[in-house]
Each structure stands twice: as C-alpha cells, then as structure tokens.
Amino acid sequence: MTFTAAAIQFEPTLFAKDANIESLAELVEKAASDGAELITTPEMATTGYCFHDGEEAATVVEQIPGPTTGVFEEIAARRDCYIVLGMPEVDPDSGLFYNSAVLIGPEGILGTHRKTHPYIAEPKWAAPGNLGHQVFETRLGRIAMLICMDLHFLETARVVALQGADVICHISNWLAERTPAPYWISRAFENNCYVIESNRWGLERTVQFSGGTCIIEPDGTVAQRIDVGNGIVSAQIDIRRGGWGLPERRPELYRELQINSYAWNPLDFFTLYGHAPLPTGATSTVSVVQCTPGTSVESNLADIESWVERLSGSTDLVVFPELSISGAVSEQRPPREIAETLDGPSITRIAELAVRRDVSIVVGLAERDAETGRVYNSAVLIGSDGACTAYRQIHLSAEHRPLFAAGDSWTVVDLPTGRVGILVGNDALLPESGRILALRGCDLIVCPSALAGTFVGSHPGTEIPHAAEVPTGVDALHWHHMRVRAGENNVYFAFANSIDPSRGIHGHSGVFGPDTFAFPRTETIVDGSESGYATCVVDTTHLGGPYPTTVVRRKDLVLMRQPHQYGTLSTA
C-alpha cells in the first residue's frame, strides 16, 4: 500500500541519444538505490524534443521493445522497480512515429502509451496516439501514463481515474508558465489520485522548458518539487489515500462529452438551421460577491440589495454565493422548512431590484417545485429585464444529498454579455460539468458556491528564465482550481464562494479568464477571506471575418478534444 516514488528532471541534448540514455540510466540507478520502486523520466528524455520534421525524427526513433528499452529493462529487473521512460517510437508495421511512454517492470515491458493529444510540435513528425488511455496493474497499484498535452484535456485523466488509477505518471516537456503547473495539481485534486510529474528543463532550439518536476498528492498538495537542474525528487505514495472513488457522478447526463461541437467553425455551427445562435457578444463587466449568508432570509435579501446598490453602474452581472437568499441548511435547519417557489416573494423582490438597477443578478436559494413539492439547491439568474431562469444543482455534496433532490438538466441563458451557463458549488468539482457547458457554446460560467476545503495553493517562486510577462515570484494563489476550470474550457468563470470558517469555507472568490497561458492573466480575485467583491471585464466580441477572433469564442482546448477516446465518461 505504501512505496517510494521518484520523478527525474533532466535536460536531454537534442539527437545525443547514447549520451542521454547513459545519463538517464545513472539517474534511474540513483533513484532505485535510494529506495524508489516507481521512477519516471521526462517526455522524449532519450532524444530531445524539438524536431524540425520527420526526417530528423527518423534518425532517433526506435521500436518498443528495442535497444533503449532493453537498457532500462535490465535496471528494472536488477533493481526490482518500475520505470516510466519517455522516448520516440516507430511502429514496425505502419512505419508511423509516436511520442511514447513505456512502463517497464521487473518482469519486462508492461505497456506503452502513445501521446493522444498533440502539442503544436508533434504534427511536425508524429501521429496522434492510437492506444487509448490505459491503466496497468502492478504490485504497487494501478498505474496510468499520460504525456504532456494529454493532461490539458480533463477527459484523459478522468478516463484513467474511472479505471481505478492510483497513480498517474505524467511525463512532459511543459513550457510557458511557472511550474508545478496548475493543471497538474487540478488533475490530482479532481480525480483523487497521485500525479507523479517528470518535466524537462533547459533550452532547446529557443524553447524554454519549465522544470518543476514534482509529486502531487490526491488533495492537491505538492509533496516535493525541483525547480532548475537535473535531479530527482521522491516521496512516499500511500495508495489508500486515493483511489477510494470519485465524487458522485451523473454519467447519464454526460453523453454530450462524446461529441465535438467545435469541430466546425462555431460561428457557422451555432447558427445552423437558425436554431439557438450565439449572442452577438459584448464587452461587459461581471462581479462576484463574497459574503456570509445568515439564517435570516430578510437579512440576506437586504444584504443582496446593499451589494447591488453599491455595484450598480459599474457592473452588468453580479453573482452571489450559493444559498445566498436561504442561508446555510442542515438537518437542524432543513431546506424544506425555508424553501420558496420561483414566483415567491424573494425572487420577486430581487427581480424588481434587477430591473430597477439595470443589472443581471445570480442568487441561490432552496427552491420548492410548485408541482411536485421537491426541494432543490438552485441558482437563479435574473436578467436586467426581470426574466428568471433557474438551475437545479446536479451534483449534490454528501452533506446535501439527504436534504435536496438532485437536478437533472443543464441550464444555459443568452444575455448581451454572451452565452451563460450556470453551476452550483459542488458541480465545479466534477470536471464534466464545465465541459458540457463549454460544448454548448458558453462564454461565461457563473458558479454560486459554498465550497469548503482547500482548492488553492501557493508557489515559492522559480529561477527558470521565463518570458518577462510570465510571473516567476512568490504567489499565494499560484494554483486556483477555478482558474483551471476557466482555462481548460476557454470560458470566463465567475466563482462566488461564501465565507464560513466554522464550516471550513474560506472564500477565494474570483472571475477567471478563458486563457490561462495569456499573461498578465485576465482575472480578478477577492482579496483575502473576508467579505468583498471582484469585478472583471468579460469580452465576447467578434472583430469580424468568417472565424472567431477571441479564444472564448474559438475555444482552442475544446476544438482539440478527441471525443472517440472518452466513451467511458458517459457509461454508468
């Protein structure tokens, strides 16, 4: 159940395969002699990465098994350990080249992963991987392998997590941001498994790689890390901490994950047959309010009114926390005793406020269905014209499952700001939620929340010489899980979290932009864990021409998905 894992950070020399293999073997031997039973190396560690074309790659590719894997098979057998090796592979039957990772154990080669989701560099020489996303049984537990860009796509890690992966070995040549990268941390956190990360460092053909090799625990804690230089980082892996299962999923509602609505120009796709075209778009402002809803509905309504009065004139849309009208619920204060219908006095009062102040408002309440009597944890978006749209939370927390009925449909609303999707709190912890709203063309996701626990993390700074605009210093909010939610879906994400230290709820509200690799980042975060607000500009405009001119409308990371790889996500 417990073993030592080691992640190697290494700077290979382009084309110097023999020397690279010799140096890697020495590092693997050192890690094994120090007690590591699972050892990872970076992507393309044997050869370097930046090939101009297939002719260059042809000088270093090998079959698996082959001479290179033979070197590490011998070490694995002698040291009784497992090794994940990154290398370029040639398929003997097709002649195609692949960017591959091979898992080698004491008994030999256990399996190969071919990078499925190419970065801009792979199409110069390599085909997309054709082996899917596999999990390999070992005496250490269930091990999966992903390569660099694979992890940008929430589906890949989710697919292996659903196969019971205890550890994801992610080998990479990550660049263009300070590492350990927020994406790495979120994949461990949302899938409740370890991520062992081997990244390269150094400069190759003008490309600066980011280092930051690390081991990430299932709660998102970075156990150990390296900044610059060749080296080894190790940590104890206790697979009992992860692998116990994922938050309650609703796979019957995830079938849209099997389609790609961005395979065609979205400006054409979403106008097809004249049905539900995207809004024209606008430059607008969105605000989130961080506060503590109390047990008095009247007091909560007065608080909402006060914030809206304060923000009106400077914002177009304001988002309040989960249950911002009703206040926190529990077995002692059950929602059935305070629930209201959508045409009840509270929503009527907020609708009048929205019209009076010419602002759209998102609030949360315990909603009673007028026909069935069921009670839902709902968010209500009230437009500046007074029109109300409710979303009933689909993914209930363990605390709320005995108290609320679960919703069964996603909600999207078109406003002048753009297309807006709605989630509530716990929904945002399941990556499928945001992805479905992105596939429906959302520009903005609003998320009233009362999320407890830690979903942010700091960074001590890096010595890697990044481009001037990339932050490299100490940062208390280097990782924010909701920033990842925004970036992976190329949406703006308005996260309004409440504050209640007695329940472990500490705010960290913010509005996050659609491109996490654009610096300085488009985002605003509420300072500290006190009451406050954050306002950010949201730009969904189009500059003209046949194709989208902004990432929020183009959705690069949605376009590059490979839905045929994700079938298990919508299987019960």
Side-chain angles (χ1 to χ4, degrees):
M1 290 294 184
T2 303
F3 62 91
T4 299
I8 290 172
Q9 181 162 294
F10 179 62
E11 181 184 20
T13 300
L14 191 63
F15 303 121
K17 185 163 73 169
D18 291 344
N20 293 333
I21 291 169
E22 182 179 352
S23 296
L24 277 172
E26 290 175 1
L27 288 164
V28 170
E29 291 272 15
K30 174 68 166 63
S33 68
D34 289 342
E37 294 183 73
L38 174 60
I39 304 162
T40 60
T41 69
E43 175 186 13
M44 300 287 286
T46 63
T47 62
Y49 180 74
C50 299
F51 300 145
H52 284 157
D53 49 37
E55 290 184 10
E56 287 194 345
T59 66
V60 291
V61 293
E62 281 188 26
Q63 294 181 25
I64 297 173
T68 295
T69 56
V71 171
F72 294 92
E73 286 181 76
E74 189 279 328
I75 297 173
R78 176 165 43 83
R79 292 288 193 175
D80 192 31
C81 66
Y82 295 83
I83 303 166
V84 175
L85 179 68
M87 60 178 286
E89 177 196 2
V90 58
D91 185 289
D93 297 321
S94 67
L96 291 173
F97 299 164
Y98 296 96
N99 181 342
S100 296
V102 55
L103 177 61
I104 302 167
E107 62 273 53
I109 293 175
L110 299 180
T112 300
H113 172 68
R114 292 169 171 170
K115 186 175 183 178
T116 52
H117 294 67
Y119 181 57
I120 191 172
E122 269 77 29
K124 288 183 172 290
W125 65 275
N130 58 356
L131 300 178
H133 304 98
Q134 307 169 77
V135 173
F136 302 96
E137 295 274 357
T138 75
R139 73 161 191 264
L140 304 178
R142 298 182 184 93
I143 296 174
M145 297 180 288
L146 296 174
I147 302 176
C148 205
M149 190 78 180
D150 289 339
L151 204 72
H152 267 100
F153 300 87
L154 60 92
E155 291 91 348
T156 59
R158 200 61 155 179
V159 164
V160 296
L162 288 171
Q163 296 176 63
D166 300 303
V167 177
I168 296 174
C169 296
H170 181 238
I171 68 173
S172 61
N173 281 193
W174 204 272
L175 55 109
E177 71 172 337
R178 176 181 49 197
T179 52
Y183 279 85
W184 306 349
I185 301 169
S186 281
R187 297 299 176 249
F189 175 75
E190 70 198 12
N191 291 303
N192 191 42
C193 67
Y194 287 89
V195 169
I196 301 176
E197 170 64 45
S198 275
N199 193 36
R200 74 160 286 175
W201 74 289
L203 194 68
E204 186 176 289
R205 283 184 166 165
T206 74
V207 178
Q208 177 66 61
F209 296 98
S210 298
T213 292
C214 61
I215 296 175
I216 306 168
E217 297 177 346
D219 64 357
T221 299
V222 178
Q224 298 290 338
R225 63 178 282 273
I226 304 171
D227 188 31
V228 297
N230 291 354
I232 304 167
V233 63
S234 62
Q236 286 292 300
I237 304 295
D238 183 352
I239 63 173
R240 292 169 295 187
R241 289 192 57 194
W244 50 263
L246 302 174
E248 188 167 291
R249 301 172 69 250
R250 302 286 300 279
E252 73 279 7
L253 299 179
Y254 304 157
R255 294 192 181 97
E256 286 169 73
L257 297 177
Q258 310 311 126
I259 66 169
N260 193 353
S261 51
Y262 282 80
W264 290 85
N265 180 355
L267 299 186
D268 294 332
F269 177 84
F270 287 104
T271 58
L272 193 63
Y273 314 131
H275 174 67
L278 292 172
T280 302
T283 299
S284 51
T285 52
V286 173
S287 299
V288 294
V289 170
Q290 182 168 287
C291 59
T292 307
T295 56
S296 165
V297 170
E298 175 57 37
S299 178
N300 291 337
L301 289 168
D303 200 26
I304 291 168
E305 288 174 331
S306 175
W307 278 109
V308 170
E309 297 284 351
R310 177 177 176 181
L311 292 170
S312 65
S314 62
T315 195
D316 299 291
L317 171 66
V318 57
V319 186
F320 288 90
E322 180 177 347
L323 296 172
S324 49
I325 289 176
S326 308
V329 297
S330 64
E331 291 183 359
Q332 291 71 42
R333 188 174 183 262
R336 65 179 181 274
E337 295 183 1
I338 54 174
E340 296 184 40
T341 58
L342 292 178
D343 59 359
S346 292
I347 294 300
T348 299
R349 181 168 162 183
I350 299 301
E352 291 171 352
L353 174 67
V355 172
R356 186 169 69 251
R357 286 300 180 183
D358 191 30
V359 63
S360 297
I361 304 170
V362 180
V363 291
L365 84 162
E367 179 211 345
R368 176 177 288 108
D369 185 283
E371 294 182 5
T372 67
R374 291 186 182 130
V375 177
Y376 297 92
N377 184 0
S378 295
V380 184
L381 191 158
I382 302 138
S384 58
D385 59 356
C388 298
T389 305
Y391 164 73
R392 294 166 171 175
Q393 188 179 40
I394 286 173
H395 302 98
L396 298 172
S397 66
E399 175 190 7
H400 281 169
R401 270 178 226 137
L403 304 175
F404 289 107
D408 58 9
S409 61
W410 308 98
T411 299
V412 170
V413 183
D414 286 346
L415 298 177
T417 296
R419 181 158 292 175
V420 181
I422 309 174
L423 299 176
V424 175
N426 199 59
D427 289 318
L429 298 182
L430 288 92
E432 295 89 345
S433 306
R435 183 65 101 206
I436 288 168
L437 296 181
L439 288 167
R440 291 191 175 193
C442 287
D443 303 299
L444 167 68
I445 295 174
V446 296
C447 188
S449 299
L451 283 181
T454 301
F455 44 85
V456 299
S458 62
H459 196 290
T462 178
E463 295 180 12
I464 297 285
H466 287 291
E469 64 272 15
V470 176
T472 58
V474 176
D475 186 352
L477 292 176
H478 166 72
W479 171 58
H480 196 303
H481 191 51
M482 303 310 160
R483 179 190 296 129
V484 174
R485 283 286 172 266
E488 70 194 6
N489 292 301
N490 298 133
V491 296
Y492 292 90
F493 198 96
F495 173 68
N497 203 33
S498 58
I499 315 164
D500 188 346
S502 68
R503 297 168 58 215
I505 304 172
H506 299 288
H508 299 302
S509 306
V511 184
F512 301 94
D515 187 349
T516 49
F517 290 92
F519 298 99
R521 287 189 172 116
T522 302
E523 65 181 36
T524 310
I525 302 174
V526 179
D527 243 355
S529 56
E530 304 298 323
S531 294
Y533 72 95
T535 298
C536 188
V537 173
V538 169
D539 185 0
T540 60
T541 59
H542 174 52
L543 298 179
Y547 296 100
T549 56
T550 57
V551 69
V552 71
R553 284 285 164 98
R554 194 172 61 241
K555 295 204 189 312
D556 301 333
L557 287 179
V558 180
L559 163 66
M560 292 187 287
R561 296 168 68 249
Q562 297 184 12
H564 62 282
Q565 306 264 13
Y566 314 147
T568 57
L569 298 186
S570 56
T571 302

